[in-house]
mmCIF file of all heavy atoms in Angstrom:
data_model
loop_
_atom_site.group_PDB
_atom_site.id
_atom_site.type_symbol
_atom_site.label_atom_id
_atom_site.label_comp_id
_atom_site.label_asym_id
_atom_site.label_seq_id
_atom_site.Cartn_x
_atom_site.Cartn_y
_atom_site.Cartn_z
ATOM 1 N N GLU B 718 -131.032 160.739 8.040
ATOM 2 C CA GLU B 718 -130.182 161.346 7.003
ATOM 3 C C GLU B 718 -128.758 160.769 7.057
ATOM 4 O O GLU B 718 -128.090 160.646 6.035
ATOM 5 C CB GLU B 718 -130.102 162.867 7.163
ATOM 6 C CG GLU B 718 -131.418 163.597 6.986
ATOM 7 C CD GLU B 718 -132.299 163.491 8.211
ATOM 8 O OE1 GLU B 718 -131.829 163.828 9.306
ATOM 9 O OE2 GLU B 718 -133.449 163.014 8.094
ATOM 10 N N GLN B 719 -128.321 160.450 8.281
ATOM 11 C CA GLN B 719 -126.954 159.932 8.410
ATOM 12 C C GLN B 719 -126.795 158.598 7.684
ATOM 13 O O GLN B 719 -125.763 158.326 7.086
ATOM 14 C CB GLN B 719 -126.594 159.768 9.879
ATOM 15 C CG GLN B 719 -126.516 161.095 10.599
ATOM 16 C CD GLN B 719 -125.965 160.961 11.992
ATOM 17 O OE1 GLN B 719 -125.557 159.873 12.399
ATOM 18 N NE2 GLN B 719 -125.941 162.052 12.719
ATOM 19 N N TYR B 720 -127.864 157.767 7.785
ATOM 20 C CA TYR B 720 -127.813 156.487 7.070
ATOM 21 C C TYR B 720 -127.835 156.728 5.570
ATOM 22 O O TYR B 720 -127.123 156.089 4.802
ATOM 23 C CB TYR B 720 -129.003 155.612 7.469
ATOM 24 C CG TYR B 720 -128.871 155.025 8.847
ATOM 25 C CD1 TYR B 720 -129.570 155.545 9.914
ATOM 26 C CD2 TYR B 720 -128.025 153.931 9.083
ATOM 27 C CE1 TYR B 720 -129.459 155.020 11.181
ATOM 28 C CE2 TYR B 720 -127.901 153.401 10.342
ATOM 29 C CZ TYR B 720 -128.623 153.935 11.391
ATOM 30 O OH TYR B 720 -128.491 153.411 12.636
ATOM 31 N N GLU B 721 -128.683 157.700 5.174
ATOM 32 C CA GLU B 721 -128.793 157.969 3.744
ATOM 33 C C GLU B 721 -127.477 158.503 3.196
ATOM 34 O O GLU B 721 -127.010 158.083 2.142
ATOM 35 C CB GLU B 721 -129.938 158.950 3.492
ATOM 36 C CG GLU B 721 -131.291 158.262 3.523
ATOM 37 C CD GLU B 721 -132.442 159.194 3.867
ATOM 38 O OE1 GLU B 721 -132.247 160.427 3.819
ATOM 39 O OE2 GLU B 721 -133.515 158.674 4.195
ATOM 40 N N ALA B 722 -126.866 159.413 3.959
ATOM 41 C CA ALA B 722 -125.584 159.971 3.529
ATOM 42 C C ALA B 722 -124.546 158.865 3.395
ATOM 43 O O ALA B 722 -123.794 158.805 2.427
ATOM 44 C CB ALA B 722 -125.117 161.014 4.531
ATOM 45 N N ALA B 723 -124.543 157.955 4.381
ATOM 46 C CA ALA B 723 -123.578 156.851 4.348
ATOM 47 C C ALA B 723 -123.811 155.966 3.141
ATOM 48 O O ALA B 723 -122.857 155.523 2.486
ATOM 49 C CB ALA B 723 -123.660 156.045 5.634
ATOM 50 N N SER B 724 -125.079 155.723 2.820
ATOM 51 C CA SER B 724 -125.405 154.883 1.676
ATOM 52 C C SER B 724 -124.953 155.536 0.376
ATOM 53 O O SER B 724 -124.431 154.892 -0.516
ATOM 54 C CB SER B 724 -126.909 154.628 1.617
ATOM 55 O OG SER B 724 -127.301 153.878 2.741
ATOM 56 N N VAL B 725 -125.172 156.854 0.296
ATOM 57 C CA VAL B 725 -124.742 157.579 -0.892
ATOM 58 C C VAL B 725 -123.237 157.438 -1.070
ATOM 59 O O VAL B 725 -122.730 157.285 -2.179
ATOM 60 C CB VAL B 725 -125.139 159.071 -0.791
ATOM 61 C CG1 VAL B 725 -124.473 159.893 -1.889
ATOM 62 C CG2 VAL B 725 -126.655 159.217 -0.854
ATOM 63 N N ASP B 726 -122.532 157.441 0.081
ATOM 64 C CA ASP B 726 -121.082 157.281 0.022
ATOM 65 C C ASP B 726 -120.677 155.841 -0.277
ATOM 66 O O ASP B 726 -119.489 155.521 -0.259
ATOM 67 C CB ASP B 726 -120.444 157.719 1.347
ATOM 68 C CG ASP B 726 -120.567 159.211 1.546
ATOM 69 O OD1 ASP B 726 -120.872 159.893 0.548
ATOM 70 O OD2 ASP B 726 -120.376 159.685 2.664
ATOM 71 N N GLY B 727 -121.637 154.962 -0.460
ATOM 72 C CA GLY B 727 -121.339 153.603 -0.824
ATOM 73 C C GLY B 727 -121.049 152.675 0.349
ATOM 74 O O GLY B 727 -120.451 151.616 0.165
ATOM 75 N N ALA B 728 -121.464 153.054 1.550
ATOM 76 C CA ALA B 728 -121.189 152.211 2.711
ATOM 77 C C ALA B 728 -122.132 151.005 2.705
ATOM 78 O O ALA B 728 -123.329 151.151 2.428
ATOM 79 C CB ALA B 728 -121.384 153.015 3.994
ATOM 80 N N ASN B 729 -121.616 149.837 3.002
ATOM 81 C CA ASN B 729 -122.479 148.665 3.099
ATOM 82 C C ASN B 729 -123.063 148.588 4.515
ATOM 83 O O ASN B 729 -122.779 149.429 5.376
ATOM 84 C CB ASN B 729 -121.728 147.380 2.731
ATOM 85 C CG ASN B 729 -120.541 147.133 3.654
ATOM 86 O OD1 ASN B 729 -120.519 147.622 4.784
ATOM 87 N ND2 ASN B 729 -119.560 146.395 3.175
ATOM 88 N N ALA B 730 -123.896 147.556 4.747
ATOM 89 C CA ALA B 730 -124.627 147.463 6.016
ATOM 90 C C ALA B 730 -123.658 147.461 7.194
ATOM 91 O O ALA B 730 -123.881 148.149 8.201
ATOM 92 C CB ALA B 730 -125.480 146.204 6.025
ATOM 93 N N TRP B 731 -122.578 146.707 7.067
ATOM 94 C CA TRP B 731 -121.626 146.604 8.159
ATOM 95 C C TRP B 731 -120.991 147.968 8.446
ATOM 96 O O TRP B 731 -120.860 148.387 9.579
ATOM 97 C CB TRP B 731 -120.562 145.561 7.847
ATOM 98 C CG TRP B 731 -119.473 145.505 8.856
ATOM 99 C CD1 TRP B 731 -118.197 145.924 8.695
ATOM 100 C CD2 TRP B 731 -119.587 145.039 10.206
ATOM 101 N NE1 TRP B 731 -117.495 145.743 9.865
ATOM 102 C CE2 TRP B 731 -118.312 145.200 10.807
ATOM 103 C CE3 TRP B 731 -120.636 144.495 10.968
ATOM 104 C CZ2 TRP B 731 -118.058 144.856 12.123
ATOM 105 C CZ3 TRP B 731 -120.396 144.147 12.281
ATOM 106 C CH2 TRP B 731 -119.124 144.327 12.852
ATOM 107 N N ASN B 732 -120.605 148.677 7.360
ATOM 108 C CA ASN B 732 -119.999 149.989 7.540
ATOM 109 C C ASN B 732 -120.976 150.981 8.165
ATOM 110 O O ASN B 732 -120.578 151.807 8.994
ATOM 111 C CB ASN B 732 -119.529 150.556 6.180
ATOM 112 C CG ASN B 732 -118.240 149.894 5.737
ATOM 113 O OD1 ASN B 732 -117.442 149.490 6.593
ATOM 114 N ND2 ASN B 732 -118.053 149.779 4.448
ATOM 115 N N ARG B 733 -122.229 150.880 7.737
ATOM 116 C CA ARG B 733 -123.220 151.798 8.314
ATOM 117 C C ARG B 733 -123.362 151.529 9.805
ATOM 118 O O ARG B 733 -123.463 152.447 10.606
ATOM 119 C CB ARG B 733 -124.575 151.624 7.621
ATOM 120 C CG ARG B 733 -124.634 152.235 6.233
ATOM 121 C CD ARG B 733 -126.081 152.402 5.784
ATOM 122 N NE ARG B 733 -126.794 151.144 5.778
ATOM 123 C CZ ARG B 733 -126.837 150.314 4.729
ATOM 124 N NH1 ARG B 733 -126.211 150.617 3.619
ATOM 125 N NH2 ARG B 733 -127.513 149.188 4.788
#
Side-chain angles (χ1 to χ4, degrees):
Chain B
E718 296 78 54
Q719 294 189 4
Y720 286 103
E721 280 156 14
S724 295
V725 169
D726 291 345
N729 60 24
W731 174 251
N732 283 331
R733 285 197 302 271

